[in-house]
Amino acid sequence: MARLTCNTISDNPSTMPTLIIPTPLRKFTDGQGTFSAPADTVKSLLASLAEAHPGLKPHVFEDSGVLRSFIRVYVGDEDIRALQGEDTPLVERDDVSIIPAIAGGLCGSTL
Amino acid sequence: MLPLEIQPDVLKRMTSRAEAAFPNECCGFFYGAEGEVKRAITATTAVDNHKEGDQRRRFEISDLDYMKAERHAAKEGLTLLGVYHSHPLHPAIPSEYDNAVAMPFFSYLIVSVQPEGTAHVRSWQLDDSRCFQEESLVTLPEAWRV
Protein backbone atom coordinates (compact mmCIF):
# COMPACT_ATOMS: atom_id res chain seq x y z
CA MET A 1 0.00 0.00 0.00
CA ALA A 2 1.37 3.39 -0.89
CA ARG A 3 1.89 5.79 1.95
CA LEU A 4 1.42 9.52 1.69
CA THR A 5 4.10 11.68 3.19
CA CYS A 6 2.71 14.72 4.94
CA ASN A 7 4.68 17.79 5.84
CA THR A 8 4.13 19.08 9.35
CA ILE A 9 3.04 22.69 9.30
CA SER A 10 3.50 24.58 12.56
CA ASP A 11 1.18 27.35 13.69
CA ASN A 12 4.33 29.36 14.34
CA PRO A 13 5.56 30.78 11.03
CA SER A 14 8.86 31.90 12.54
CA THR A 15 11.76 29.69 13.46
CA MET A 16 11.79 30.96 17.02
CA PRO A 17 10.21 29.31 20.05
CA THR A 18 6.93 30.87 21.12
CA LEU A 19 5.73 31.61 24.63
CA ILE A 20 2.01 31.34 25.24
CA ILE A 21 1.01 34.04 27.73
CA PRO A 22 -1.82 33.18 30.15
CA THR A 23 -4.79 35.55 30.24
CA PRO A 24 -3.94 37.21 33.60
CA LEU A 25 -0.51 38.30 32.35
CA ARG A 26 -1.68 39.75 29.04
CA LYS A 27 -2.32 43.10 30.68
CA PHE A 28 1.48 43.36 30.77
CA THR A 29 2.00 42.34 27.13
CA ASP A 30 -0.31 44.88 25.53
CA GLY A 31 -2.94 42.16 25.23
CA GLN A 32 -0.70 39.87 23.21
CA GLY A 33 -1.24 36.15 23.84
CA THR A 34 2.10 35.03 22.46
CA PHE A 35 5.72 36.16 22.54
CA SER A 36 8.53 34.93 20.29
CA ALA A 37 12.25 35.50 20.61
CA PRO A 38 15.45 33.71 19.63
CA ALA A 39 16.27 31.41 22.54
CA ASP A 40 17.99 28.08 23.05
CA THR A 41 16.73 27.44 26.58
CA VAL A 42 13.59 28.13 28.59
CA LYS A 43 15.61 30.46 30.79
CA SER A 44 16.74 32.66 27.91
CA LEU A 45 13.22 32.83 26.47
CA LEU A 46 11.79 33.89 29.85
CA ALA A 47 14.57 36.46 30.23
CA SER A 48 13.69 37.95 26.87
CA LEU A 49 10.04 38.11 27.89
CA ALA A 50 10.90 39.88 31.15
CA GLU A 51 13.10 42.36 29.34
CA ALA A 52 10.41 43.14 26.77
CA HIS A 53 7.58 43.32 29.32
CA PRO A 54 9.05 44.22 32.74
CA GLY A 55 5.61 44.73 34.30
CA LEU A 56 5.02 40.99 34.51
CA LYS A 57 8.30 40.23 36.32
CA PRO A 58 6.96 40.36 39.91
CA HIS A 59 4.20 37.93 38.96
CA VAL A 60 6.53 35.41 37.32
CA PHE A 61 9.86 35.73 39.15
CA GLU A 62 10.99 36.07 42.75
CA ASP A 63 13.22 39.05 43.59
CA SER A 64 16.17 36.64 43.29
CA GLY A 65 15.26 36.01 39.67
CA VAL A 66 14.08 32.41 40.02
CA LEU A 67 10.61 31.41 38.89
CA ARG A 68 7.90 31.91 41.51
CA SER A 69 6.81 28.61 43.00
CA PHE A 70 3.25 29.29 41.82
CA ILE A 71 4.29 29.50 38.18
CA ARG A 72 4.59 26.40 36.01
CA VAL A 73 6.27 26.29 32.62
CA TYR A 74 5.51 23.67 30.00
CA VAL A 75 7.35 22.88 26.79
CA GLY A 76 4.63 21.36 24.68
CA ASP A 77 2.80 19.07 27.11
CA GLU A 78 5.80 18.53 29.40
CA ASP A 79 6.29 20.32 32.70
CA ILE A 80 9.89 21.60 32.71
CA ARG A 81 10.24 20.25 36.27
CA ALA A 82 10.19 16.80 34.65
CA LEU A 83 12.76 17.93 32.06
CA GLN A 84 15.78 20.08 32.84
CA GLY A 85 14.00 22.93 34.56
CA GLU A 86 14.81 26.37 33.20
CA ASP A 87 17.84 24.85 31.44
CA THR A 88 15.53 22.77 29.25
CA PRO A 89 16.79 23.27 25.69
CA LEU A 90 14.45 24.65 23.07
CA VAL A 91 14.36 23.98 19.38
CA GLU A 92 12.74 25.92 16.59
CA ARG A 93 8.97 26.04 16.79
CA ASP A 94 8.74 24.83 20.38
CA ASP A 95 5.63 26.14 22.16
CA VAL A 96 6.32 27.14 25.74
CA SER A 97 3.37 27.81 28.08
CA ILE A 98 3.32 29.77 31.32
CA ILE A 99 0.70 28.24 33.59
CA PRO A 100 -0.28 29.99 36.82
CA ALA A 101 -0.93 27.56 39.66
CA ILE A 102 -4.57 27.94 40.66
CA ALA A 103 -5.03 27.01 44.28
CA GLY A 104 -6.13 28.47 47.58
CA GLY A 105 -8.65 28.02 50.29
CA LEU A 106 -9.00 28.45 53.98
CA CYS A 107 -5.70 26.93 55.05
CA GLY A 108 -3.93 29.58 57.08
CA SER A 109 -5.46 32.76 58.40
CA THR A 110 -7.68 35.11 56.48
CA LEU A 111 -6.40 38.54 55.56
CA MET B 1 -11.77 47.99 39.51
CA LEU B 2 -14.82 47.27 37.38
CA PRO B 3 -18.03 45.87 38.86
CA LEU B 4 -19.00 42.30 38.03
CA GLU B 5 -22.31 41.59 36.38
CA ILE B 6 -22.96 37.85 36.64
CA GLN B 7 -25.78 36.20 34.74
CA PRO B 8 -28.18 34.77 37.36
CA ASP B 9 -28.04 31.23 35.95
CA VAL B 10 -24.24 31.33 35.94
CA LEU B 11 -24.13 32.48 39.57
CA LYS B 12 -26.63 29.79 40.49
CA ARG B 13 -24.39 27.12 38.95
CA MET B 14 -21.48 28.31 41.08
CA THR B 15 -23.44 28.43 44.35
CA SER B 16 -25.14 25.09 43.64
CA ARG B 17 -21.78 23.48 43.12
CA ALA B 18 -20.44 25.05 46.31
CA GLU B 19 -23.43 23.62 48.21
CA ALA B 20 -23.06 20.17 46.61
CA ALA B 21 -19.37 20.01 47.51
CA PHE B 22 -19.96 20.98 51.17
CA PRO B 23 -18.15 20.37 53.51
CA ASN B 24 -15.35 20.32 50.91
CA GLU B 25 -14.19 23.25 48.84
CA CYS B 26 -15.24 23.41 45.19
CA CYS B 27 -13.60 25.33 42.37
CA GLY B 28 -14.12 26.40 38.78
CA PHE B 29 -13.57 29.09 36.17
CA PHE B 30 -15.78 31.80 34.73
CA TYR B 31 -15.73 33.61 31.44
CA GLY B 32 -17.20 36.62 29.70
CA ALA B 33 -16.11 40.00 28.47
CA GLU B 34 -14.53 43.05 30.02
CA GLY B 35 -16.00 46.32 28.79
CA GLU B 36 -15.45 49.96 29.63
CA VAL B 37 -17.72 49.99 32.66
CA LYS B 38 -18.16 46.40 33.81
CA ARG B 39 -17.06 42.80 33.61
CA ALA B 40 -19.90 40.67 32.26
CA ILE B 41 -19.72 37.03 33.34
CA THR B 42 -21.71 34.84 31.00
CA ALA B 43 -20.33 31.31 31.40
CA THR B 44 -18.72 29.03 33.94
CA THR B 45 -17.06 25.63 33.98
CA ALA B 46 -16.63 23.47 37.05
CA VAL B 47 -13.42 21.55 37.56
CA ASP B 48 -12.41 18.89 40.04
CA ASN B 49 -10.68 19.90 43.22
CA HIS B 50 -7.33 18.16 42.74
CA LYS B 51 -6.03 18.87 46.22
CA GLU B 52 -4.85 15.61 47.73
CA GLY B 53 -6.02 14.88 51.25
CA ASP B 54 -8.35 17.13 53.18
CA GLN B 55 -10.37 19.28 50.75
CA ARG B 56 -12.31 21.12 53.45
CA ARG B 57 -9.74 23.90 53.65
CA ARG B 58 -7.90 23.80 50.33
CA PHE B 59 -8.52 23.59 46.62
CA GLU B 60 -6.18 23.05 43.72
CA ILE B 61 -6.82 23.10 39.97
CA SER B 62 -4.59 20.94 37.78
CA ASP B 63 -2.35 22.49 35.15
CA LEU B 64 -4.22 20.46 32.52
CA ASP B 65 -7.58 21.88 33.64
CA TYR B 66 -6.09 25.38 33.48
CA MET B 67 -4.92 24.80 29.92
CA LYS B 68 -8.37 23.48 29.01
CA ALA B 69 -9.95 26.64 30.44
CA GLU B 70 -7.71 28.86 28.31
CA ARG B 71 -8.56 26.79 25.24
CA HIS B 72 -12.28 26.89 26.08
CA ALA B 73 -12.18 30.69 26.32
CA ALA B 74 -10.37 30.98 22.99
CA LYS B 75 -12.76 28.57 21.28
CA GLU B 76 -15.86 30.37 22.56
CA GLY B 77 -14.52 33.86 21.89
CA LEU B 78 -14.68 34.69 25.60
CA THR B 79 -12.17 36.02 28.10
CA LEU B 80 -11.11 33.87 31.04
CA LEU B 81 -12.05 36.35 33.76
CA GLY B 82 -11.47 34.46 36.96
CA VAL B 83 -11.77 31.61 39.38
CA TYR B 84 -14.40 30.74 41.96
CA HIS B 85 -14.09 28.57 45.02
CA SER B 86 -15.98 28.00 48.24
CA HIS B 87 -15.20 28.60 51.91
CA PRO B 88 -17.24 26.05 53.87
CA LEU B 89 -18.24 27.34 57.31
CA HIS B 90 -16.12 30.47 56.87
CA PRO B 91 -16.65 33.97 55.44
CA ALA B 92 -15.85 34.74 51.81
CA ILE B 93 -12.66 36.59 52.67
CA PRO B 94 -9.40 35.58 50.95
CA SER B 95 -6.87 33.73 53.08
CA GLU B 96 -3.18 34.56 53.12
CA TYR B 97 -2.69 31.52 50.93
CA ASP B 98 -5.32 32.77 48.46
CA ASN B 99 -3.36 36.02 48.29
CA ALA B 100 0.03 34.38 47.82
CA VAL B 101 -1.17 32.30 44.88
CA ALA B 102 -3.40 34.90 43.20
CA MET B 103 -2.68 36.33 39.78
CA PRO B 104 -3.43 39.88 38.63
CA PHE B 105 -6.43 40.60 36.41
CA PHE B 106 -8.39 37.54 37.57
CA SER B 107 -11.48 38.00 39.71
CA TYR B 108 -11.52 35.60 42.65
CA LEU B 109 -15.12 34.90 43.60
CA ILE B 110 -15.68 33.13 46.92
CA VAL B 111 -18.90 31.45 48.02
CA SER B 112 -19.34 31.17 51.79
CA VAL B 113 -21.32 28.00 52.49
CA GLN B 114 -23.10 26.83 55.63
CA PRO B 115 -24.87 23.46 56.11
CA GLU B 116 -28.19 25.10 55.18
CA GLY B 117 -26.83 26.57 51.95
CA THR B 118 -25.04 29.59 50.50
CA ALA B 119 -24.51 32.28 53.12
CA HIS B 120 -22.99 35.04 50.99
CA VAL B 121 -20.82 35.69 47.93
CA ARG B 122 -17.96 38.16 47.53
CA SER B 123 -15.36 38.74 44.83
CA TRP B 124 -11.82 40.07 44.98
CA GLN B 125 -9.05 41.18 42.65
CA LEU B 126 -5.39 41.97 43.24
CA ASP B 127 -4.40 45.60 42.98
CA ASP B 128 -1.02 46.79 41.75
CA SER B 129 0.45 46.20 45.21
CA ARG B 130 -0.70 42.56 45.16
CA CYS B 131 -3.34 43.32 47.80
CA PHE B 132 -6.89 42.08 47.36
CA GLN B 133 -9.56 44.71 46.76
CA GLU B 134 -13.23 43.77 46.82
CA GLU B 135 -15.18 43.99 43.59
CA SER B 136 -18.80 45.00 43.53
CA LEU B 137 -21.29 42.35 42.38
CA VAL B 138 -24.06 44.36 40.81
CA THR B 139 -26.45 41.49 40.13
CA LEU B 140 -26.01 39.64 43.41
CA PRO B 141 -29.31 38.77 45.16
CA GLU B 142 -29.81 40.68 48.41
CA ALA B 143 -29.90 37.43 50.42
CA TRP B 144 -26.31 36.65 49.44
CA ARG B 145 -24.86 40.05 50.31
CA VAL B 146 -22.84 40.60 53.48
Side-chain angles (χ1 to χ4, degrees), chain A residues 24-25 27-28 54-62 67-68 70-71 98 100, chain B residues 102-105 126-130:
Chain A
L25 294 181
K27 65 182 281 190
F28 305 108
L56 54 67
K57 279 166 80 170
H59 304 289
V60 176
F61 302 99
E62 302 287 0
L67 273 176
R68 294 187 70 219
F70 302 119
I71 293 290
I98 297 175
Chain B
M103 295 296 287
F105 178 79
L126 285 184
D127 64 16
D128 291 339
S129 305
R130 285 197 59 84

Side-chain angles (χ1 to χ4, degrees), chain B residues 4 7 35-36 55-56 72 82 86 120 122 129 138 146:
Chain B
L4 301 189
Q7 275 186 199
E36 293 286 318
Q55 297 185 345
R56 291 175 299 176
H72 178 75
S86 58
H120 60 266
R122 302 174 79 172
S129 305
V138 291
V146 176

Side-chain angles (χ1 to χ4, degrees), chain A residues 20-28 55-56 58-60 68 70-74 76-79 81 97-111, chain B residues 25 29 56-61 63 66-67 70-71 79-80 83 85 87-88 90-91 93-106 108 126 128 130 132:
Chain A
I20 300 168
I21 312 292
T23 300
L25 294 181
R26 290 177 196 163
K27 65 182 281 190
F28 305 108
L56 54 67
H59 304 289
V60 176
R68 294 187 70 219
F70 302 119
I71 293 290
R72 315 268 188 260
V73 178
Y74 279 68
D77 293 329
E78 292 273 356
D79 188 333
R81 293 176 299 177
S97 301
I98 297 175
I99 308 289
I102 306 293
L106 281 164
C107 193
S109 59
T110 53
L111 292 171
Chain B
E25 295 197 10
F29 293 101
R56 291 175 299 176
R57 296 173 71 84
R58 275 284 182 94
F59 79 94
E60 188 174 308
I61 293 176
D63 296 346
Y66 181 83
M67 286 189 256
E70 288 277 12
R71 289 184 195 129
T79 301
L80 181 57
V83 178
H85 72 282
H87 278 184
H90 284 78
I93 298 172
S95 65
E96 289 181 5
Y97 187 70
D98 287 332
N99 184 259
V101 180
M103 295 296 287
F105 178 79
F106 272 168
Y108 288 87
L126 285 184
D128 291 339
R130 285 197 59 84
F132 270 125

Side-chain angles (χ1 to χ4, degrees), chain B residues 46-65:
Chain B
V47 295
D48 289 335
N49 182 352
H50 274 259
K51 179 64 187 170
E52 291 183 2
D54 191 351
Q55 297 185 345
R56 291 175 299 176
R57 296 173 71 84
R58 275 284 182 94
F59 79 94
E60 188 174 308
I61 293 176
S62 73
D63 296 346
L64 180 61
D65 281 336

